[in-house]
Amino acid sequence: MIIPSKSAKEKNRRITRRSLMLGGIQLAVVGVLGVRMRQLQVTQSDSYRLLAEENRINVQLIPPDRGLIFDRLGKPIAENKPNYRIVLIREQAQDPANVLAELAKIIDFPEDKQADVLKKMKRNSAFVKIPVVENLDWSDFARISANAPALPGIIPEVGLNRNYPQPEDFTHVVGYVGPVSDRDLSGLENPEPILQFPGFQYGKTGLEVKIEDTLRGTAGTSQVEVNSSGRVIRELSRKDAVNGADIQLTLDSDLQHYASYRMGDQSAAAVVMDVHSGNIRALASSPSFDPNKFIFGISTTDWNGLLNNEYRPLADKTISGAYPPGSTFKMVVALAALEEGLVDAEEEIFCPGHFDLGNRRFHCWKRGGHGRMNLSDSLKESCDVFYYEISQRIGIEKITAMAKRFGLGARPDLPLPAITGGLMPTKQWKQTNYNEAWRKGDTINSAIGQGFVLSSPVQLAIMTARLASGRAITPRLIQRINGVPTPLEYADPLGISDADFALVREGMFRVNNETRGTAYATRIAETTMAMAGKTGTSQVRQISLAERATGVIKNEDLPWEHRDHALFVGYAPYDKPRFAISVVVEHGGSGSAAAAPIARDIMLRALYETQPPISAFPREIRDEMLEQRQNEPPPNVVAPTPRSDRA
Amino acid sequence: MSFMDPNANLPPTGLKKILYVNWPLVLLIFAVSGFGFLMLYSVAGGSFTPWARPQMERFAIGIVIMFIVGFTPISFWRSITALTYGVGMLLLVFVLIAGDINKGAQRWIDLGFINLQPSEVMKIAVVMVLALYYDWLPPEKVSRPVWVFIPLVLILSPAAFVFFQPDLGTAILIILSGGVVMFLAGVSLWYFSAALSAVAAIVLAIFQSRGTGWQLLNDYQYRRIDTFLDPSLDPLGASYHITQASIALGSGGVSGRGFMQGTQSRLGFLPEKQTDFIFTTLAEEFGYVGTTLLLVMYVLIMVFCISSALNNRNRYAALLTGGIAATFFFFFAVNMAMVMGLVPVVGVPLPLVSYGGSAMLVLLGAFGLVQSAHIHRPQGVL
């Protein structure tokens, strides 16, 4: 048995005494709480209940107007238009099903839609406004308003809705808005209450989602006194909403429209960029779709149609499509070799049509070979063997380092979601990702922009702008926010010698402007506007030895998804560059036949800012071009706002 | 029974511990928490999401923790007391630095299934470390200045960190719980009167400094005090909470409006209806009857804790139990006083009822300590 010391006893006695004191104090506090409770809940209960019943203070949100989006000349790309709609509050309706049935007698309102509204109502609290019909025309809206007393709980409202007056042209860049979804909310740390506002619209894709916070603005509040039936007695105070910022883009509506039109139904992308400022004039991905269909939620049929289309209309190919750049990559390889002094302007390399490395044979696109080629010739005729040879001298690390200086392999800084950085491989990269050593054959494939090398159309445009200007141009999409110009930074020179640039640019000039140049057929005949460029045709399949033996299958005979990608990059005018362009036609066949003509037409449109004179085309194709023009639409006029279908 | 058991004077071992659990306390905890689930179900408009279900899950985890802690000998908890306090301090420093890095207030550490607030843990750790200190210190020394200074440092340093988080409510709670342990340990009443006078002086200084260059509190804190003193100053601004809370409380009347029938919370008039202000919903829906019932249950929890402390001859265990009981008391008393407009709104949850995982788990862990002290208390007549 433990015998406690005297001190321990003393300790415990003190604890006991103090505990009782403390208990007493606490009891007193509890007493005070009890008295206060009684005072509030029993004595003064009636007056408080009156306050709760008769005189509720209600805070109503005032939604801000979403910022508008304009093109570089101020033409509207995304605007807001009045939306006449009706909403329903369950607790005021008593019998919502009956009210909706009454409503169907006044306007066309089918039963399945009534069921949708009732379903939505069940998921929300009784006092939440549920959108019933959006985008009513004025006469329906007026009729409902007149009948409002017979429709308890139905409230006619005028709101603003997003509208895209140039459907299809800007779908990918600007994106679209839609009703706020639970997924949108779950991604936000602290969602603003306005997002719960019925029918409030939130950016879903493109700029609309990327700069959502800038476009949305801040909700205002109106504090009103309401009586027990919810009628507003008076407004107590008001804080106006701050509207979203208006955005002016660098894009040109007319050029963007023309680019979309020119690509037609093909799966393609085109980018036009100012070589000095980096301003993007056109950023078009094809095929496109009408973003207005998404605003009130798209129908399942339409959605599945877009989703299952093998041309992937939902993707923005300009920024998220990663393609092997093919021969358009050769300028980078050439500059890497020139800078290292591993090749010069004079050296000639013999192309027999193939290049042997160990027991592997790499083929030039031209079966019989090009014969003797110097660097400038190799660009003009796009000789592959020349690049196989010099790539062995440089090695992959130097090639990739040069590519990075041209913006390849790095994600361009644009306010858009889902931007790919493409891929510029290194030995280390292959070791990490494939757990295999880098092989010489990999370098050979990379030298002609195949193998692991991937880039997006916008990256190729940046590369071309840098080739033309010699400076580290970066893309710019937003010109002004609320009228305030966004900063335009001076781009630093790339640090490549003028002689090296001159040589490569000359090669690019010859591609378009000399016979046997791969894009000679699509040259610009007007000499002050002459274009320099480079075609690219990138394989998406392996050509087997057996196929080589029997003859390579022509693109036209292959299924679409096995055909080569067609690419073209270029800039113009040659002596005073203004614009760089890149065009990629997915599985389009050859770069000279499928991509170069599109690039030439879009470039001419950019240079002349209207339909170019027929003299800009080479004599031999003028008749053909004139015929083509018969079918061409007139210059883009912003169409009057179409009325969308009811939601 | 115990007179037939030769080991009756020794703490129980093995499964026999179950007989020694303070079962009335466990039942009360279940009852109060059950009340909480009902309210969370109601404020969500009759739904288990988003609050009631997670709260019940955390409660289940918390109860398991409580029993594990309870069945572990109190001597073990005594042995890791200093360590707990030290780790708690490190975590407090960590969140302060992490908050600095993130350029914003950070109060918690994300553990995946729960956001742990070190300040919550610290409330209990301070009580533990002081119980250990006074267990060790010979009683005749407790009132000597140097031996009073040490516990003050132990209390005020975590309180200071919490204050700068900034979380005034929790800082005050830490100081109050620490003070209670000092009080129970028998520190001379003169020190307490001195401390009260100092607080009065500081309050005076706070008011005097307002608007001058050396203003002691943030403007929003002054506004809270203003509206507390006179809610009618600004019925739609800062005192909106208090006014709406009073309306909810008062409109409940004697019998309440009935479960799920409270208009104030349902219409969104009540702020933080699932956390700090949940008492108002309870008052609105269950009336005076409901609030009194809750208050009685709280008082009974206190009574069972204090009587357990009084019957415990282990000084550490007794001080710990008393300190935890007092902390619990401060929680519910401050929260109720706050929503009833008796003290300024400081952001203290209603224990076991308000939505919040960290507070719930820490509280149940603390009750585990109370159980451990109760189960392993030295028995028999001395």
Side-chain angles (χ1 to χ4, degrees), chain A residues 317-472:
Chain A
K317 296 175 185 118
T318 58
I319 52 162
S320 64
Y323 306 95
S327 300
T328 60
F329 189 57
K330 284 176 179 166
M331 284 80 82
V332 168
V333 181
L335 282 169
L338 285 168
E339 184 161 81
E340 292 298 314
L342 298 171
V343 72
D344 60 28
E346 276 78 45
E347 182 180 351
E348 291 189 339
I349 291 171
F350 182 75
C351 167
H354 55 79
F355 179 84
D356 292 329
L357 181 81
N359 55 6
R360 271 192 80 184
R361 174 161 282 196
F362 292 86
H363 291 268
C364 189
W365 67 270
K366 195 170 176 183
R367 285 212 76 179
H370 289 93
R372 303 183 71 77
M373 294 260 109
N374 66 18
L375 190 139
S376 174
D377 299 334
S378 76
L379 283 170
K380 173 190 159 195
E381 299 193 31
S382 200
C383 172
D384 292 336
V385 168
F386 186 91
Y387 291 90
Y388 296 155
E389 166 64 33
I390 65 171
S391 74
Q392 292 303 297
R393 304 181 192 169
I394 325 167
I396 188 64
E397 306 294 338
K398 293 264 165 55
I399 294 176
T400 290
M402 181 57 77
K404 295 242 156 116
R405 282 158 80 182
F406 280 90
L408 302 175
R411 193 170 294 175
D413 181 21
L414 282 167
L416 295 171
I419 300 180
T420 178
L423 178 61
M424 286 297 144
T426 59
K427 291 177 180 169
Q428 180 61 47
W429 172 85
K430 192 182 176 193
Q431 191 65 51
T432 315
N433 287 277
Y434 284 79
N435 203 20
E436 265 177 37
W438 184 265
R439 296 196 201 147
K440 286 186 171 175
D442 294 331
T443 311
I444 287 189
N445 278 328
S446 305
I448 57 160
Q450 297 265 167
F452 298 117
V453 179
L454 292 173
S455 55
S456 66
V458 78
Q459 284 180 315
L460 292 175
I462 294 167
M463 174 189 83
T464 313
R466 292 183 179 189
L467 278 167
S469 68
R471 290 186 293 121

Side-chain angles (χ1 to χ4, degrees), chain B residues 14-328:
Chain B
L15 284 177
K16 223 193 294 165
K17 286 185 182 182
I18 295 173
L19 295 174
Y20 287 79
V21 167
N22 195 343
W23 285 110
L25 189 57
V26 175
L27 282 180
L28 282 166
I29 287 169
F30 268 90
V32 172
S33 304
F35 225 148
F37 303 149
L38 278 182
M39 294 332 298
L40 290 175
Y41 178 83
S42 170
V43 291
S47 162
F48 281 106
T49 51
W51 299 308
R53 187 193 303 276
Q55 181 85 341
M56 288 162 92
E57 287 163 4
R58 291 188 196 121
F59 178 72
I61 297 170
I63 283 294
V64 173
I65 291 175
M66 183 179 93
F67 278 111
I68 291 171
V69 173
F71 288 140
T72 309
I74 190 72
S75 55
F76 171 77
W77 299 117
R78 186 178 186 279
S79 69
I80 65 157
T81 293
L83 183 70
T84 311
Y85 181 83
V87 171
M89 281 301 285
L90 281 180
L91 291 178
L92 273 183
V93 175
F94 172 78
V95 287
L96 210 59
I97 294 169
D100 252 5
I101 293 167
N102 299 342
K103 297 214 167 44
Q106 185 175 353
R107 295 177 181 180
W108 60 79
I109 295 168
D110 191 356
L111 292 184
F113 68 103
I114 189 172
N115 288 327
L116 179 74
Q117 290 197 31
S119 59
E120 298 278 356
V121 180
M122 215 53 209
K123 273 181 230 162
I124 305 304
V126 164
V127 172
M128 287 171 79
V129 83
L130 288 175
L132 182 69
Y133 174 80
Y134 284 114
D135 187 24
W136 163 81
L137 190 70
E140 57 274 16
K141 290 188 185 164
V142 289
S143 291
R144 293 196 192 149
V146 63
W147 299 110
V148 170
F149 180 71
I150 292 171
L152 282 183
V153 171
L154 289 174
I155 296 168
L156 292 179
S157 38
F161 278 118
V162 174
F163 177 76
F164 285 113
Q165 272 182 355
D167 185 354
L168 178 64
T170 309
I172 290 175
L173 277 185
I174 288 177
I175 294 173
L176 287 177
S177 337
V180 162
V181 181
M182 291 178 75
F183 180 82
L184 287 176
V187 175
S188 166
L189 290 176
W190 288 111
Y191 287 105
F192 292 96
S193 351
L196 285 178
S197 324
V199 168
I202 289 170
V203 168
L204 203 65
I206 284 172
F207 279 101
Q208 290 298 321
S209 73
R210 184 172 192 181
T212 65
W214 49 285
Q215 185 168 313
L216 289 170
L217 295 181
N218 287 329
D219 281 338
Y220 79 91
Q221 287 163 324
Y222 279 112
R223 275 198 299 279
R224 276 186 179 182
I225 297 172
D226 279 349
T227 57
F228 159 67
L229 293 175
D230 185 4
S232 65
L233 274 182
D234 178 15
L236 287 176
S239 74
Y240 179 80
H241 291 188
I242 297 173
T243 311
Q244 292 301 332
S246 301
I247 292 176
L249 275 163
S251 65
V254 174
S255 55
R257 287 162 175 257
F259 184 49
M260 308 243 315
Q261 300 300 316
T263 57
Q264 284 290 108
S265 57
R266 207 165 56 91
L267 292 180
F269 286 116
L270 285 179
E272 310 188 39
K273 57 189 178 187
Q274 79 280 16
T275 56
D276 293 357
F277 279 80
I278 196 162
F279 184 67
T280 55
T281 310
L282 189 146
E284 189 180 17
E285 300 193 351
F286 294 117
Y288 184 56
V289 177
T291 52
T292 310
L293 183 64
L294 183 70
L295 193 59
V296 167
M297 289 198 285
Y298 279 143
V299 169
L300 283 177
I301 288 179
M302 299 288 306
V303 167
F304 278 102
C305 285
I306 291 174
S307 79
S308 170
L310 288 177
N311 288 318
N312 202 325
R313 289 175 197 286
N314 177 333
R315 186 166 156 91
Y316 172 76
L319 284 173
L320 182 63
T321 306
I324 288 172
T327 308
F328 183 74

Side-chain angles (χ1 to χ4, degrees), chain A residues 426-608:
Chain A
T426 59
K427 291 177 180 169
Q428 180 61 47
W429 172 85
K430 192 182 176 193
Q431 191 65 51
T432 315
N433 287 277
Y434 284 79
N435 203 20
E436 265 177 37
W438 184 265
R439 296 196 201 147
K440 286 186 171 175
D442 294 331
T443 311
I444 287 189
N445 278 328
S446 305
I448 57 160
Q450 297 265 167
F452 298 117
V453 179
L454 292 173
S455 55
S456 66
V458 78
Q459 284 180 315
L460 292 175
I462 294 167
M463 174 189 83
T464 313
R466 292 183 179 189
L467 278 167
S469 68
R471 290 186 293 121
I473 305 300
T474 49
R476 184 164 176 258
L477 190 58
I478 295 176
Q479 191 161 312
R480 287 196 175 86
I481 297 176
N482 253 354
V484 182
T486 54
L488 186 60
E489 281 158 34
Y490 176 80
D492 294 322
L494 287 172
I496 291 167
S497 81
D498 290 346
D500 292 354
F501 262 135
L503 190 58
V504 169
R505 287 175 190 151
E506 183 209 84
M508 290 174 76
F509 179 76
R510 292 173 68 203
V511 168
N512 277 61
N513 298 289
E514 272 185 22
T515 46
R516 292 218 313 280
T518 54
Y520 180 66
T522 52
R523 67 193 179 279
I524 293 176
E526 171 62 53
T527 48
T528 56
M529 296 287 185
M531 176 150 73
K534 183 77 196 77
T535 56
T537 305
S538 61
Q539 256 168 245
V540 293
R541 69 196 180 104
Q542 198 86 42
I543 298 175
S544 67
L545 280 176
E547 194 185 327
R548 289 262 180 225
T550 56
V552 177
I553 303 169
K554 286 212 178 87
N555 261 311
E556 303 86 86
D557 302 331
L558 286 166
W560 178 76
E561 67 271 20
H562 287 163
R563 291 180 201 164
D564 299 339
H565 291 315
L567 296 94
F568 184 85
V569 301
Y571 64 89
Y574 174 66
D575 22 288
K576 247 181 136 183
R578 287 176 60 202
F579 299 114
I581 188 168
S582 74
V583 171
V584 176
V585 182
E586 277 190 347
H587 309 293
S590 87
S592 25
I598 297 178
R600 178 214 39 216
D601 290 349
I602 298 176
M603 180 59 93
L604 281 171
R605 192 77 173 201
L607 291 167
Y608 285 97

Side-chain angles (χ1 to χ4, degrees), chain A residues 2 11-12 14 16 18-19 22 26 33 36-38 40-41 45 48-49 52-53 56-57 127 223 236, chain B residues 135 139 180 183 186-187 236 247 249-253 257 266-267 269 283 287-288 291 302 315 340 382:
Chain A
I2 310 151
K11 265 187 198 172
N12 284 328
R14 188 164 271 181
T16 309
R18 286 287 173 98
S19 296
L22 189 66
Q26 290 173 340
L33 291 176
R36 173 68 175 164
M37 247 180 229
R38 193 183 158 78
L40 282 172
Q41 298 192 275
S45 170
Y48 281 119
R49 182 159 286 195
E53 291 295 325
R56 295 174 192 165
I57 295 157
F127 56 90
Q223 281 170 327
L236 296 170
Chain B
D135 187 24
V180 162
F183 180 82
V187 175
L236 287 176
I247 292 176
L249 275 163
S251 65
R257 287 162 175 257
R266 207 165 56 91
L267 292 180
F269 286 116
Y288 184 56
T291 52
M302 299 288 306
R315 186 166 156 91
M340 289 194 287
L382 288 170

